[in-house]
Amino acid sequence: MTRSPALIYLDVDRTEGGSYDYRKPHFDAAAKLGYSCITIVPSGHENLSMIRAESDLVIEMDHISAAGILDRIRSLSDRYRACAVVSFMGHCPPGIDLGGIVEAVCRALSLPFTPAQALLKCNNKFLMRSHLKHRGIDSVSSLLINNVEDIDEIGDTLNFPVITKPAFGAGSVLIKKCSSKSELKERYLNFCASFPKVHLAIDHGSSGHSFTDASGVVHEYVPGRSLLVEEYIDGHEGSVECIVYKNKVHPLIVHDKLLLSEKGSTILEHQLITPPVNFSAEDVDAIRRYATDCISALELNNCLVHLEFRLTSAGPKVIEVNPRIGGFYVYKSFEDVAGIDPFISNLKILSGTFDERELIAAQTSVRERKNYYTMFVLYPPRSGYLKEIHGVEKASRRNGVLNYKAENRLNFIDTENREEYVMKFWGTAESPEKITELYELISEDINMEMSHSRPSS
């Protein structure tokens, strides 16, 4: 009997509708590679009907463990051959050691994996800076505070202004700039009060635990009480999209964040462009080298990485290192700028079938692109429920628009505490000026009708 090659996808994202669109594009990529798609979920998963519709087989487990997953995979060995194990590793859901489970399963099946400790060094942003400092990588000073009294003891450890954020975070939730200790104290109390109400903070905020930093110091992490405080990085912001394979970092695309804004307790990204217009050729070379040094220091392997930074007068400084494919339309940037499908590449990496010649071709594609490409998103004018989006058809017909998507936001949209857009666009033009014009025209085309109460279906 011929066994079908299979992608094993571990889905523990129990938020309504799923916080990240990660499973479906991997399943689309798996279909192109001839893989069946098997999803393993906790029993009673909230999105089970959607998962069943997208999967060839769904396995529900009362308790997710490496041993349990391996037993189920082996019980199917007469029909399926596990070729890759994938999950959304870019954040830490509470109550489960996702990275450790996937690593144990992959080791037992002799499949490539991203080391669990490297994932933790990235997802815990305090730990990330600790390890970069330990390895001599230029970063900024940071502290983890667990109560108001900790702020009084800061002394000269940090220079104000500072940025505060959850140590384990997602979607730019609960980020705030503070210019003094008094502001920081006020911010800390607001953070503690707001955390339980912000679902993306809770859903990706890990569980309470102790951890040891690169210097051997033990820290306590308490969700909703532990606040990361970092020195503010003054500089223009960008991101680097990388592939890490066989312990070698390949920085491919540099995105220039043309437009950012601060609102409430979040930082909103509006528009990105590539090739960059605010970074010189020398800057881009330095950014690529710096990204390589950061990722290597954190010991990431066998993954795609979305690294965010700011370019200061002293050179690039990292904001965060995300061991995943970037959001917005980063996957389209991989496709149209680098000439590769990042989801297929990820599956090939995790199945051990990736051909490094694809990276050479991708690097050549990035260098030789003549047009400018942009991704931009549109946010609601205020918090509330999205009732209707007007002007989509007109906006979609604008010259240069390559892709667009209106997000199906059914829940309350909190514009003060998280980065939650309702439309995204991917486009191209022959100049940066035309790229800016495209964003401005579409911003005028689109009108969002909001409601204080949930619209009736």
Side-chain angles (χ1 to χ4, degrees):
M1 180 179 177
T2 302
R3 295 190 301 161
S4 172
L7 159 64
I8 310 297
Y9 193 94
L10 178 54
D11 192 333
V12 297
D13 181 0
R14 308 190 70 155
T15 58
E16 185 175 348
S19 293
Y20 287 86
D21 187 10
Y22 213 67
R23 181 187 63 251
K24 181 62 164 60
H26 272 100
F27 281 8
D28 292 341
K32 294 173 184 176
L33 295 174
Y35 291 179
S36 297
C37 297
I38 300 174
T39 307
I40 296 175
V41 299
S43 297
H45 197 294
E46 286 77 358
N47 303 314
L48 193 56
S49 59
M50 179 173 61
I51 293 170
R52 288 192 188 282
E54 296 176 359
S55 308
D56 294 298
L57 177 66
V58 175
I59 298 172
E60 293 186 77
M61 296 180 64
D62 292 332
H63 174 67
I64 301 291
S65 67
I69 291 171
L70 286 167
D71 284 345
R72 300 303 293 269
I73 291 174
R74 287 163 179 156
S75 72
L76 299 169
S77 61
D78 59 330
R79 288 185 289 159
Y80 298 102
R81 174 173 55 86
C83 292
V85 180
V86 178
S87 189
F88 184 75
M89 312 297 274
H91 300 297
C92 291
I96 185 171
D97 177 15
L98 189 58
I101 290 172
V102 171
E103 177 176 335
V105 171
C106 289
R107 284 187 181 277
L109 298 175
S110 299
L111 292 172
F113 58 89
T114 305
Q117 283 301 308
L119 291 169
L120 183 58
K121 292 175 193 175
C122 295
N123 291 330
N124 181 335
K125 296 176 178 63
F126 175 80
L127 199 55
M128 177 266 289
R129 294 208 182 277
S130 171
H131 280 274
L132 292 182
K133 180 180 179 181
H134 186 71
R135 293 287 296 271
I137 307 297
D138 194 22
S139 181
V140 294
S141 297
S142 64
L143 290 173
L144 191 68
I145 61 174
N146 285 321
N147 52 65
V148 174
E149 290 70 30
D150 288 345
I151 298 172
D152 291 323
E153 299 174 6
I154 286 179
D156 298 326
T157 308
L158 295 180
N159 295 313
F160 285 87
V162 296
I163 286 287
T164 64
K165 63 180 76 170
F168 293 85
S172 296
V173 297
L174 299 175
I175 297 177
K176 188 74 173 179
K177 184 179 178 181
C178 299
S179 299
S180 65
K181 280 189 179 181
S182 59
E183 276 190 35
L184 181 54
K185 287 182 180 180
E186 181 181 352
R187 174 59 196 154
Y188 179 74
L189 295 174
N190 182 266
F191 166 79
C192 293
S194 299
F195 188 93
K197 306 171 188 175
V198 181
H199 292 297
L200 203 57
I202 300 168
D203 297 331
H204 299 289
S206 190
S207 302
H209 63 276
S210 300
F211 67 91
T212 304
D213 68 19
S215 300
V217 178
V218 178
H219 301 266
E220 291 295 326
Y221 170 74
V222 183
R225 305 295 298 180
S226 298
L227 180 66
L228 177 60
V229 183
E230 304 175 333
E231 289 183 343
Y232 180 76
I233 303 173
D234 188 14
H236 194 83
E237 192 164 322
S239 66
V240 193
E241 316 308 328
C242 309
I243 290 180
V244 192
Y245 184 58
K246 293 184 177 179
N247 293 302
K248 185 176 181 181
V249 182
H250 303 269
L252 293 178
I253 306 166
V254 177
H255 290 116
D256 178 348
K257 298 186 181 183
L258 284 181
L259 185 59
L260 297 172
S261 67
E262 297 180 13
K263 183 175 183 180
S265 295
T266 188
I267 296 177
L268 303 179
E269 297 179 12
H270 297 270
Q271 185 180 26
L272 290 77
I273 188 173
T274 192
V277 297
N278 289 291
F279 309 135
S280 68
E282 292 77 13
D283 290 336
V284 170
D285 287 341
I287 290 164
R288 291 178 186 276
R289 290 193 300 270
Y290 180 76
T292 299
D293 290 343
C294 288
I295 294 168
S296 299
L298 297 172
E299 301 179 296
L300 283 170
N301 191 25
N302 297 322
C303 60
L304 281 76
V305 178
H306 173 72
L307 184 147
E308 298 185 342
F309 66 91
R310 284 192 173 180
L311 183 64
T312 73
S313 57
K317 291 190 178 183
V318 66
I319 298 173
E320 58 187 34
V321 181
N322 299 297
R324 57 174 173 82
I325 299 166
F328 292 1
Y329 266 126
V330 167
Y331 78 92
K332 292 302 298 181
S333 193
F334 270 105
E335 291 177 359
D336 293 348
V337 179
I340 58 176
D341 182 323
F343 298 103
I344 288 179
S345 295
N346 197 38
L347 289 185
K348 287 182 176 180
I349 289 168
L350 294 174
S351 62
T353 59
F354 189 69
D355 188 339
E356 291 183 86
R357 288 175 294 184
E358 293 182 40
L359 287 168
I360 298 172
Q363 289 164 342
T364 300
S365 178
V366 172
R367 284 195 307 269
E368 294 181 351
R369 289 293 177 197
K370 303 301 181 185
N371 262 22
Y372 288 86
Y373 289 83
T374 184
M375 67 186 84
F376 55 88
V377 296
L378 303 177
Y379 298 93
R382 62 173 176 82
S383 297
Y385 292 93
L386 179 64
K387 188 175 180 181
E388 191 171 354
I389 304 175
H390 302 280
V392 174
E393 185 177 352
K394 180 180 180 181
S396 67
R397 293 199 304 266
R398 289 285 184 188
N399 185 40
V401 172
L402 300 175
N403 286 88
Y404 70 96
K405 182 182 180 183
E407 300 294 333
N408 185 23
R409 306 290 191 195
L410 300 177
N411 291 333
F412 182 83
I413 299 174
D414 181 0
T415 62
E416 296 296 318
N417 289 305
R418 58 181 287 186
E419 182 185 60
E420 193 167 15
Y421 60 89
V422 296
M423 284 209 73
K424 64 179 180 179
F425 288 84
W426 173 247
T428 186
E430 66 273 13
S431 70
E433 293 76 18
K434 289 292 185 182
I435 288 290
T436 299
E437 182 184 18
L438 180 63
Y439 169 75
E440 292 174 347
L441 288 170
I442 288 179
S443 296
E444 293 175 3
D445 292 337
I446 298 296
N447 178 45
M448 301 170 200
E449 189 176 349
M450 304 296 291
S451 172
H452 291 289
S453 57
R454 186 191 291 268
S456 57
S457 54

